[in-house]
């Protein structure tokens, strides 16, 4: 199973195996790849959202949330301060 993870302007395809990991893991993988690629530390992820803006529960398993080739966006602290209407997932 693969999921596209968006962090700022970058997109990373993350291979998740059977999707046993929690969604929180996916957010952290996206951040690590972004930091490695850009050499910019954006801090810890605050959450994940779908394209429509719906929050993703971070403690749920990836396979229970997404199908093959799904896409998610990492929510960063700056996203919340720039857009006070951003919805954060409940942990």
């Amino acid at each position: 199973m693969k999921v596209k993870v968006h962090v700022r302007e970058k997109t990373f395809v993350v291979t998740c195996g059977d999707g046993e990991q929690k969604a929180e893991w996916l957010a952290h993988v996206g951040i690590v790849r972004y930091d490695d690629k850009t050499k910019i530390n954006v801090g810890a992820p605050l959450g994940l959202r779908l394209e429509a803006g719906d929050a993703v529960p971070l403690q749920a398993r990836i396979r229970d949330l997404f199908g093959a080739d799904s896409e998610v966006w990492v929510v960063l602290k700056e996203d919340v301060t720039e857009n006070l209407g951003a919805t954060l997932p409940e942990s």
Side-chain angles (χ1 to χ4, degrees), residues 20-62:
E20 286 290 324
Q21 308 89 330
K22 294 180 180 179
E24 182 176 30
W25 172 85
L26 198 56
H28 285 285
V29 170
I31 291 293
V32 168
R33 291 190 183 179
Y34 184 87
D35 289 351
D36 287 348
K37 182 84 170 172
T38 64
K39 307 300 183 213
I40 298 171
N41 183 345
V42 293
L46 295 182
L48 284 173
R49 67 172 180 82
L50 301 176
E51 186 171 14
D54 299 329
V56 173
L58 295 178
Q59 297 306 310
R61 288 185 300 196
I62 293 168

